[in-house]
Amino acid sequence: MNLQPISEDIFSRIVDVRRDLHTHPELSWNERRTQGRIAAYLDKLNVPYRKAADTGIIVDFPGKFADAPSVALRADTDALPIVEETGLPFASQNPGVMHACGHDGHTSMLLGAASLIAQDNDRKIPIRLLFQPAEEGASGAKAMINDGALDNVAMIFGGHIDRHYPLGTIIVTEGAVNASSDKFTITIDGQGGHAARPHETVDAVVVGSLLIMALQTIVSREVNPAHPSVVTVGHFEAGSAHNVIAAQATLKGTIRSQEQSVRDGLQQSILRIASSIGQLHGAHVEVDIEEGTPPVNNPSDMVKLCEQAARQVVPEEDVRELEVANMGGEDFGDYMEIIPGCYVRFGSIIDGTFPHPAHSSKFDFDERVLGIGAAYYHAVSKVASEEILKDLK
Ligand SMILES: [Zn+2]
Ligand SMILES: [Zn+2]
């Protein structure tokens, strides 16, 4: 299998960028050095770009059909608040910050694609590259959109490095590929008092505990089991002493789903159960739901374009589908609420090592995935351009 689909020269340049970004990771909305590194690479290519969303960059490769809608390719650039434990020679020198989600790789892949696209002299359709900050903060995509990232864009493509699949595979899946991710906070107001006189109180710990157990029945009893979904309470805080009944309790949690209708249903169920449990015990219960990213659902026509592109880079049998539902959130869904697109995954297991997952302090990937990603983005930009050309004719 050809695991090196791009020239040695471009590959070594993007590996250099990846290692440099990995050594100097920056959290969401702080990607200034990263932005400078991307700009420096683009300057060498002599490619027009502008800064966007404060710490992001938008690149525009013009096409012969200047007014035609463009094809957008997107990479995310931010790191996570994690203490790195990989032991890599190019490990983070920014204490407590780590590229543990592969966004250093995503950025480098897209720069590789920029080098390849820059070599296309007969480009007809404009190609736009989005270097998006703050994916982990989950507000970067929205900020890019507000800064015109999708203006006159027909389709958008993105992808994620994935340590569940072998190097050389590209995972192209129709339908749900990322879950929606919403946060909720529930505040319970009861009546505090002496631990020995519970009859004079409304115990917020008891109400909160009942509520946590009742929330478990949403996914198990109310949602169609064919639709993966999650309601997790990750934080429960109440009380101040062993002999005082707590007047207040706070629960915080996350809601994940792969369908908008399921997402709406989960939110309604939480509101209903919280208010009912409050009524049952005479406590005042308030629910605050903070909507995050929508689910990412790849439509079949976009999937076909991605499969075609992926087959130009890796053998047909290595263009695969997701083996299990992915409940991770991804703000690529914000773009796909506006225009069609498709989100893929790039297999990147390092042979003979334990596949530490993304967001782990030991996360790493086989760097040869950078060449595969760059070649894929280049290929999908061409396949999608052909599709847009058909519509223009
Ligand atoms: Zn992540
Ligand atoms: Zn990520």
Side-chain angles (χ1 to χ4, degrees):
M1 192 201 316
N2 179 16
L3 291 170
Q4 183 58 288
I6 64 172
S7 75
E8 190 57 48
D9 171 51
I10 296 175
F11 181 69
S12 73
R13 270 190 287 152
I14 64 176
V15 168
D16 284 349
V17 173
R18 185 262 161 158
R19 294 183 179 188
D20 179 61
L21 296 181
H22 195 87
T23 308
H24 304 283
E26 294 171 306
L27 292 174
S28 303
W29 299 124
N30 289 291
E31 307 90 337
R32 300 215 177 275
R33 188 186 179 281
T34 307
Q35 186 185 44
R37 191 72 172 83
I38 297 165
Y41 189 103
L42 296 168
D43 284 336
K44 278 197 189 145
L45 285 182
N46 219 354
V47 168
Y49 65 87
R50 66 178 172 96
K51 292 182 179 175
D54 194 23
T55 49
I57 284 187
I58 297 178
V59 186
D60 275 309
F61 290 94
K64 285 193 177 123
F65 293 88
D67 297 331
S70 50
V71 176
L73 310 172
R74 172 272 209 172
D76 40 17
T77 63
D78 56 332
L80 286 157
I82 291 175
V83 177
E84 180 161 354
E85 293 181 306
T86 59
L88 288 167
F90 52 89
S92 171
Q93 290 176 10
N94 187 2
V97 183
M98 175 188 174
H99 267 297
C101 201
H103 299 186
D104 49 345
H106 301 166
T107 302
S108 308
M109 280 177 183
L110 201 57
L111 287 172
S115 291
L116 298 169
I117 294 165
Q119 293 168 355
D120 292 337
N121 296 319
D122 63 338
R123 193 182 326 105
K124 297 186 180 67
I125 300 298
I127 310 291
R128 171 170 289 186
L129 310 187
L130 308 180
F131 291 93
Q132 178 212 305
E135 192 282 322
E136 303 290 357
S139 51
K142 281 207 172 82
M144 291 291 278
I145 293 166
N146 290 338
D147 239 346
L150 295 187
D151 293 356
N152 205 24
V153 174
M155 307 169 192
I156 184 161
F157 300 93
H160 208 290
I161 286 172
D162 196 319
R163 287 289 309 265
H164 297 99
Y165 299 91
L167 178 73
T169 57
I170 300 180
I171 312 305
V172 188
T173 309
E174 189 177 328
V177 291
N178 278 99
S180 62
S181 175
D182 302 322
K183 294 178 196 164
F184 65 88
T185 303
I186 302 178
T187 322
I188 299 160
D189 266 308
Q191 176 70 53
H194 198 292
R197 292 193 281 277
H199 58 288
E200 295 172 356
T201 71
V202 176
D203 188 342
V205 169
V206 171
V207 177
S209 306
L210 279 168
L211 182 47
I212 291 169
M213 294 316 291
L215 293 175
Q216 308 310 310
T217 62
I218 299 176
V219 171
S220 69
R221 302 291 86 176
E222 295 189 27
V223 180
N224 181 337
H227 295 295
S229 51
V230 177
V231 175
T232 289
V233 176
H235 173 104
F236 182 18
E237 195 180 319
S240 56
H242 63 276
N243 58 353
V244 177
I245 285 178
Q248 271 98 30
T250 311
L251 318 184
K252 291 180 182 174
T254 184
I255 314 166
R256 308 285 171 119
S257 67
Q258 295 196 326
E259 305 279 338
Q260 188 59 42
S261 59
V262 175
R263 183 191 196 188
D264 294 340
L266 293 171
Q267 294 184 5
Q268 289 311 314
S269 299
I270 291 173
L271 292 169
R272 189 194 76 243
I273 290 174
S275 122
S276 306
I277 297 270
Q279 268 183 16
L280 190 61
H281 294 278
H284 180 74
V285 179
E286 243 180 62
V287 182
D288 178 48
I289 294 176
E290 191 188 323
E291 289 213 338
T293 51
V296 180
N297 268 291
N298 289 336
S300 63
D301 53 341
M302 294 292 118
V303 164
K304 287 199 179 76
L305 301 183
C306 292
E307 285 171 343
Q308 203 182 322
R311 285 196 295 263
Q312 293 176 17
V313 180
V314 299
E316 191 164 351
E317 64 270 22
D318 291 327
V319 181
R320 300 195 197 165
E321 292 192 1
L322 276 178
E323 284 164 12
V324 287
N326 175 17
M327 300 310 287
E330 165 60 63
D331 74 357
F332 195 79
D334 285 325
Y335 300 111
M336 284 179 54
E337 281 204 319
I338 300 173
I339 56 166
C342 184
Y343 198 73
V344 303
R345 306 191 81 80
F346 304 105
S348 54
I349 292 174
I350 302 175
D351 263 344
T353 67
F354 181 81
H356 295 287
H359 292 211
S360 121
S361 59
K362 293 185 175 165
F363 176 78
D364 189 27
F365 54 83
D366 192 316
E367 284 179 327
R368 286 174 291 178
V369 73
L370 302 178
I372 290 166
Y376 165 79
Y377 281 127
H378 181 222
V380 83
S381 77
K382 287 187 143 187
V383 170
S385 294
E386 288 298 321
E387 202 62 22
I388 293 173
L389 267 178
K390 273 189 217 160
D391 288 343
L392 290 180
K393 280 170 188 164

